[in-house]
Amino acid sequence: MNDSHRHGCNGRTAAQTPSDPHAAGDPAALRDRIAQAVRDVRATTPLAQSFTNFVTINLVANAQLAAGGTAAMSFLPDDVIDTSAISGADYINVGTLLPFYKEALPQIARAFHQSGHPWVLDPVAAGIGATRTAILTAFKDYPPTIIRGNASEVIALCDMWGLGRQDDGVSGDEHPSTRPAGVESVDDVESATDAARRLARHMAPLSPGGQAAVAVSGKVDLVTDGDRIYRLPGGSALMSKITGAGCSLGGVTATYLAVAEPLTATLAASLLYNRAGEIAERLSDGPGSFQVHLLDALWNLTPEQVAASEIVVAR
Amino acid sequence: MNDSHRHGCNGRTAAQTPSDPHAAGDPAALRDRIAQAVRDVRATTPLAQSFTNFVTINLVANAQLAAGGTAAMSFLPDDVIDTSAISGADYINVGTLLPFYKEALPQIARAFHQSGHPWVLDPVAAGIGATRTAILTAFKDYPPTIIRGNASEVIALCDMWGLGRQDDGVSGDEHPSTRPAGVESVDDVESATDAARRLARHMAPLSPGGQAAVAVSGKVDLVTDGDRIYRLPGGSALMSKITGAGCSLGGVTATYLAVAEPLTATLAASLLYNRAGEIAERLSDGPGSFQVHLLDALWNLTPEQVAASEIVVAR
Amino acid sequence: MNDSHRHGCNGRTAAQTPSDPHAAGDPAALRDRIAQAVRDVRATTPLAQSFTNFVTINLVANAQLAAGGTAAMSFLPDDVIDTSAISGADYINVGTLLPFYKEALPQIARAFHQSGHPWVLDPVAAGIGATRTAILTAFKDYPPTIIRGNASEVIALCDMWGLGRQDDGVSGDEHPSTRPAGVESVDDVESATDAARRLARHMAPLSPGGQAAVAVSGKVDLVTDGDRIYRLPGGSALMSKITGAGCSLGGVTATYLAVAEPLTATLAASLLYNRAGEIAERLSDGPGSFQVHLLDALWNLTPEQVAASEIVVAR
């Protein structure tokens, strides 16, 4: 853990300089990779398997199909591990837990780790309930390739994995994640910047290909590979008025992870969602029609439209 | 149990006099409280947590969001009890049971009772299956604050709790609930009037604030606080052609219960649903578009539109 | 097992002669039975109970309601067996398994067999996972009345039940089902013709009324009663871009099985779906609106429109 990150999971770090769109080395190359990921999913309909909550499981599958992939959902370790041999990436969401998940989920994460299988974690409601805490804690040693959550969840997971609390001198008051937040974030996206970076840096060396990414969803989404910070403006406020916008974004991130490396997959999925949300908001009369138009827009957006999105890059 | 209710759960009682819109004391005050509840939910986006069935769990969450609240769904006691500390009210629906619910649900109801946490029960398919009967029976001593069901379910639950069978001399033939009804009511709303009142009177002294309410959904919805009977005409026949109209009404009732006392919460939710159903029916071409328009209407209806609804009051 | 079927589950049999629309004896009588089934469901709103996966459980129920039936979903044997006494037929889908299903599902199938209760099996992902294989294998002795699956699933189930592998001399290479396919078929419909026929012939003598049917969904759906082969052209490619088109077709097949014999029920449901898919595709802008219009079309199609569909009959 280097000095510039000693401020703890929700602290601001010295490394957060003003945004610099030229810092990413070659933004054009990044856009090409994003467009290619969108194109590859449409061309190859990759399978991404999900172990996800019961509330939004249908939307996760429908969003993966609308993005151009295919979907399979399973909960039994034998089933999940068998299917992972033919899935390009997996998605695990800890939203609605059943008792047997306490053993099943760590077993599955360990199997993915051993086979080098990439997966996306959605740490829904991190910090609430002893069972969820036990499961999420167990993931530390067999971590996902990508995490997608809201700010409170990302901060809570960073704390849970002990990535920034040991000797950083940050008092409890500065850790809003100690207030349980339910499934809604009580923290804003920016407050999770450092936690997101610490998580990505922990995950990368343990991940297939040595790369990882963390996405924090919110008003302006934030994505990091542990090094640069990418801010993605736009999207729609109606996203929080349907259940599963975040979960299905996580599922679609797994779909892209089946064809691209973690940073590109995370950016492509988040950008696709922001653009689709804007289109759906314009066409809808409320959250019912918003969800219908969101799925249609995921289906109709072109690779070029997704890749042309504004991306603000900072170190 | 007083004499006027000795006719059993589905009997007619002497107390059912012709409807009298002036009997409620101050109908204007009632409408003000209803409008205020609708307004308060929109202003404070309260969290209502659900332990509900897998068929309609998505619609329950989306309806709570469309009404202006927030949603969280859980099944593990540690999770549910932790989250109830930050939820304004809970919703429990016994539609699709898993084996561990037999211990989990009574444990949760007991915890709610001990902490004075208000909750809404949807006794789906009451009377079918030994496990469901065991769970619903256990709730008698830790009862919900509000029950919302169809006529058959309300009658079955009243029988199950022994609130009107002991010495009322009613023969089995007069108890249609002894014919299992599945999830559809085989009884009409009016036949459940007395059962609804008995249930509310049993629940009130055991509930936070000493108040309770029971809603019987049907062609003309019926609501009672154990004293007065409120009949709510209108709604749409298409409500029974989508799955989860009743469940999601139960969830939205919990959303209102997070900001209002039981009678107001129950009336506000039922009226919101009736008005939304009428709008959705006018705009739809079948049950697919009906559900989309229903969610949009839940989102767009004003507090004044909800409160202006016809309410027929009787003692 | 007769000679003409010795080519194994995915082999071509000598019995597959060129299609002959006059081979069915009386096609007009078949169309009358189909129209009558559609009419009877609308008139009697029969209950069909489902034990189905968590991904598409909502669409299964909504499709059954849109077709004119009623729906109930359960997972506990006591609940399922109790409710089967009042349901006209049941639907079992092995998509998302939980640990207790390993005992529950064979117990339920045995109970249905003993009471002569008709049911539809959707063998989702047959061939993947030890638990699923154990469950599907156990069904051999208490088989469903109807199977509806994709080609890979039907071939895998035929293999699993040992209906064509013993002495047929077919090498592993000719059995594509040994490549696990996830929930998407890797085989085309025609390759499952013989497997479908063998399954139907195994099931019929063990089924109520001595009749059974198998439907293989795909570009051109195939239905067989073990004797004739019915090919149903049409439908929409968007069916595979929403999750649950196949599952909900299975559920609606159970709805029709509540009022008709297996062949008529299977044909009526598949034809209703093909016509509804065509209408929905014309009206939709993507998979979100497609699902909405599909449910509306299931509701609006007339018995005559369904029965007028093209049916290509072969022996």
Side-chain angles (χ1 to χ4, degrees):
Chain A
M1 205 156 294
N2 70 43
D3 274 353
S4 71
H5 291 92
R6 64 170 184 223
H7 299 286
C9 286
N10 68 326
R12 297 299 189 283
T13 71
Q16 283 180 30
T17 55
S19 69
D20 174 5
H22 303 290
D26 188 353
L30 184 64
R31 288 183 194 285
D32 283 351
R33 291 203 303 274
I34 291 168
Q36 193 58 42
V38 177
R39 214 172 282 126
D40 285 349
V41 162
R42 300 260 168 86
T44 65
T45 59
L47 173 63
Q49 179 182 218
S50 297
F51 187 127
T52 189
N53 72 67
F54 301 120
V55 191
T56 64
I57 189 168
N58 182 269
L59 184 61
V60 170
N62 273 326
Q64 292 178 319
L65 291 168
T70 58
M73 271 65 183
S74 304
F75 300 96
L76 287 188
D78 68 332
D79 216 15
V80 175
I81 294 168
D82 260 31
T83 304
S84 72
I86 55 165
S87 76
D90 269 55
Y91 171 62
I92 293 180
N93 174 308
V94 296
T96 51
L97 304 173
L98 299 184
F100 78 96
Y101 292 9
K102 196 167 177 178
E103 282 75 44
L105 279 172
Q107 180 188 345
I108 289 166
R110 201 162 46 237
F112 289 171
H113 186 71
Q114 283 161 359
S115 65
H117 185 67
W119 61 288
V120 176
L121 170 65
D122 203 328
V124 175
I128 295 187
T131 305
R132 182 175 291 104
T133 297
I135 291 168
L136 289 175
T137 302
F139 288 159
K140 186 188 178 186
D141 296 330
Y142 320 108
T145 319
I146 296 174
I147 292 169
R148 192 230 60 92
N150 67 35
S152 298
E153 292 158 354
V154 165
I155 293 169
L157 191 64
C158 180
D159 284 352
M160 220 174 272
W161 287 1
L163 301 180
R165 300 298 292 271
Q166 280 176 298
D167 54 1
D168 59 7
V170 176
S171 80
D173 283 298
E174 296 178 63
H175 279 274
S177 65
T178 54
R179 292 178 284 129
V183 296
E184 300 296 321
S185 184
V186 294
D187 303 300
D188 72 26
V189 169
E190 290 301 316
S191 69
T193 308
D194 189 57
R197 192 147 28 191
R198 285 175 186 246
L199 287 165
R201 289 186 181 187
H202 168 75
M203 291 148 63
L206 296 165
S207 291
Q211 297 180 61
V214 175
V216 188
S217 301
K219 205 165 168 168
V220 174
D221 296 335
L222 183 151
V223 172
T224 183
D225 56 1
D227 179 19
R228 291 191 179 80
I229 301 290
Y230 302 82
R231 292 188 177 80
L232 314 176
S236 166
L238 276 171
M239 283 289 196
S240 64
K241 300 304 171 186
I242 62 168
T243 189
C247 304
S248 61
L249 169 56
V252 170
T253 302
T255 298
Y256 285 121
L257 184 59
V259 302
E261 37 73 43
L263 177 65
T264 300
T266 307
L267 289 170
S270 294
L271 293 174
L272 177 74
Y273 258 66
N274 281 348
R275 297 300 79 75
E278 291 157 4
I279 293 170
E281 185 178 313
R282 278 199 302 276
L283 297 173
S284 67
D285 299 313
S289 46
F290 179 79
Q291 180 170 321
V292 173
H293 291 301
L294 181 70
L295 288 168
D296 283 357
L298 293 176
W299 175 256
N300 289 311
L301 276 161
T302 66
E304 293 69 31
Q305 286 173 304
V306 177
S309 302
E310 184 182 5
I311 304 172
V312 182
V313 190
R315 273 207 177 271
Chain B
M1 206 156 296
N2 70 43
D3 274 353
S4 71
H5 291 93
R6 63 170 183 223
H7 299 286
C9 286
N10 68 326
R12 298 298 188 284
T13 71
Q16 284 179 30
T17 55
S19 68
D20 174 4
H22 304 290
D26 188 354
L30 185 64
R31 289 183 193 285
D32 283 350
R33 290 203 304 274
I34 291 167
Q36 193 59 44
V38 177
R39 213 172 283 127
D40 285 348
V41 162
R42 301 260 167 87
T44 65
T45 59
L47 173 63
Q49 179 182 220
S50 297
F51 187 127
T52 188
N53 72 66
F54 301 120
V55 190
T56 63
I57 189 168
N58 182 268
L59 184 61
V60 171
N62 272 326
Q64 292 178 319
L65 291 168
T70 58
M73 272 65 184
S74 304
F75 300 97
L76 288 188
D78 68 333
D79 217 15
V80 175
I81 294 168
D82 259 32
T83 304
S84 72
I86 54 166
S87 77
D90 270 55
Y91 171 61
I92 293 180
N93 174 308
V94 296
T96 51
L97 304 174
L98 299 185
F100 78 96
Y101 292 9
K102 197 167 176 178
E103 281 76 43
L105 279 172
Q107 180 187 345
I108 289 166
R110 201 162 46 238
F112 289 171
H113 187 70
Q114 282 161 0
S115 65
H117 185 67
W119 62 287
V120 176
L121 171 65
D122 203 327
V124 175
I128 296 187
T131 304
R132 182 175 290 103
T133 297
I135 291 168
L136 289 175
T137 303
F139 287 159
K140 186 188 178 185
D141 296 330
Y142 321 108
T145 320
I146 297 174
I147 291 169
R148 190 227 63 89
N150 67 35
S152 298
E153 292 158 353
V154 165
I155 292 168
L157 190 64
C158 180
D159 283 352
M160 219 175 274
W161 287 1
L163 301 180
R165 302 296 294 269
Q166 280 176 299
D167 53 2
D168 59 7
V170 176
S171 80
D173 282 301
E174 296 178 63
H175 279 275
S177 65
T178 54
R179 292 177 286 128
V183 296
E184 301 296 322
S185 185
V186 294
D187 303 301
D188 72 25
V189 169
E190 289 302 316
S191 68
T193 308
D194 188 57
R197 192 147 29 190
R198 286 176 185 245
L199 287 166
R201 289 187 181 186
H202 168 76
M203 291 149 61
L206 295 165
S207 291
Q211 297 180 63
V214 175
V216 188
S217 301
K219 205 166 169 166
V220 173
D221 297 334
L222 183 151
V223 172
T224 182
D225 56 1
D227 180 18
R228 291 190 180 81
I229 301 289
Y230 301 83
R231 292 187 176 81
L232 314 176
S236 166
L238 276 172
M239 282 290 195
S240 65
K241 299 304 173 186
I242 62 168
T243 189
C247 304
S248 60
L249 169 56
V252 169
T253 302
T255 298
Y256 284 120
L257 185 58
V259 303
E261 36 73 43
L263 177 65
T264 301
T266 307
L267 289 170
S270 294
L271 293 174
L272 177 73
Y273 259 65
N274 280 349
R275 297 299 80 74
E278 291 158 4
I279 293 170
E281 185 177 315
R282 278 199 302 276
L283 298 173
S284 68
D285 300 312
S289 46
F290 179 79
Q291 180 170 321
V292 172
H293 290 301
L294 182 68
L295 287 169
D296 282 356
L298 293 177
W299 174 256
N300 289 311
L301 277 160
T302 66
E304 293 70 31
Q305 287 173 303
V306 176
S309 302
E310 184 182 5
I311 304 172
V312 183
V313 189
R315 273 207 177 271
Chain C
M1 207 156 295
N2 71 43
D3 274 354
S4 71
H5 291 91
R6 64 170 182 222
H7 299 286
C9 287
N10 67 326
R12 298 298 189 282
T13 72
Q16 284 180 31
T17 55
S19 69
D20 174 5
H22 304 290
D26 189 353
L30 184 64
R31 289 183 193 286
D32 283 351
R33 290 204 304 275
I34 291 167
Q36 193 58 43
V38 176
R39 213 172 283 126
D40 285 348
V41 162
R42 299 260 168 86
T44 65
T45 59
L47 174 61
Q49 179 182 219
S50 298
F51 186 127
T52 190
N53 72 67
F54 301 119
V55 191
T56 63
I57 189 168
N58 182 268
L59 185 61
V60 170
N62 273 326
Q64 292 177 319
L65 291 168
T70 58
M73 271 66 183
S74 304
F75 300 97
L76 287 189
D78 68 333
D79 216 14
V80 175
I81 294 167
D82 260 31
T83 304
S84 71
I86 55 167
S87 76
D90 270 54
Y91 172 61
I92 293 181
N93 174 308
V94 296
T96 52
L97 304 173
L98 299 184
F100 78 95
Y101 291 9
K102 196 168 178 178
E103 282 75 45
L105 279 172
Q107 180 187 345
I108 289 166
R110 200 163 46 239
F112 289 171
H113 186 70
Q114 282 161 0
S115 65
H117 184 68
W119 61 288
V120 177
L121 170 65
D122 202 328
V124 175
I128 295 188
T131 305
R132 181 176 291 102
T133 297
I135 291 168
L136 289 175
T137 302
F139 287 159
K140 185 186 179 186
D141 295 331
Y142 320 108
T145 320
I146 296 174
I147 292 170
R148 192 230 58 95
N150 66 35
S152 298
E153 292 158 353
V154 166
I155 293 168
L157 191 64
C158 181
D159 283 352
M160 220 175 273
W161 287 0
L163 301 179
R165 301 295 294 270
Q166 280 177 297
D167 54 1
D168 59 7
V170 176
S171 79
D173 283 300
E174 297 178 64
H175 278 274
S177 65
T178 54
R179 292 178 285 130
V183 296
E184 301 295 322
S185 184
V186 296
D187 303 300
D188 72 25
V189 169
E190 289 301 316
S191 68
T193 308
D194 188 58
R197 192 147 28 190
R198 285 176 185 244
L199 287 166
R201 289 186 181 188
H202 168 75
M203 291 148 61
L206 296 166
S207 291
Q211 297 180 64
V214 175
V216 188
S217 301
K219 204 164 168 168
V220 174
D221 296 334
L222 183 152
V223 172
T224 182
D225 56 0
D227 179 18
R228 289 191 181 80
I229 301 288
Y230 302 83
R231 293 187 177 81
L232 315 177
S236 166
L238 276 172
M239 282 289 195
S240 64
K241 300 303 173 186
I242 62 167
T243 189
C247 304
S248 61
L249 168 56
V252 170
T253 302
T255 297
Y256 284 120
L257 185 57
V259 303
E261 38 72 43
L263 177 65
T264 300
T266 308
L267 289 170
S270 294
L271 293 174
L272 177 74
Y273 258 66
N274 281 348
R275 297 299 79 74
E278 292 157 5
I279 293 170
E281 184 178 314
R282 278 199 302 277
L283 298 173
S284 68
D285 300 312
S289 46
F290 179 79
Q291 180 170 320
V292 172
H293 291 300
L294 181 69
L295 288 169
D296 282 357
L298 294 176
W299 175 256
N300 288 311
L301 277 160
T302 66
E304 293 70 30
Q305 287 173 305
V306 176
S309 302
E310 185 183 3
I311 304 172
V312 183
V313 189
R315 273 208 177 268

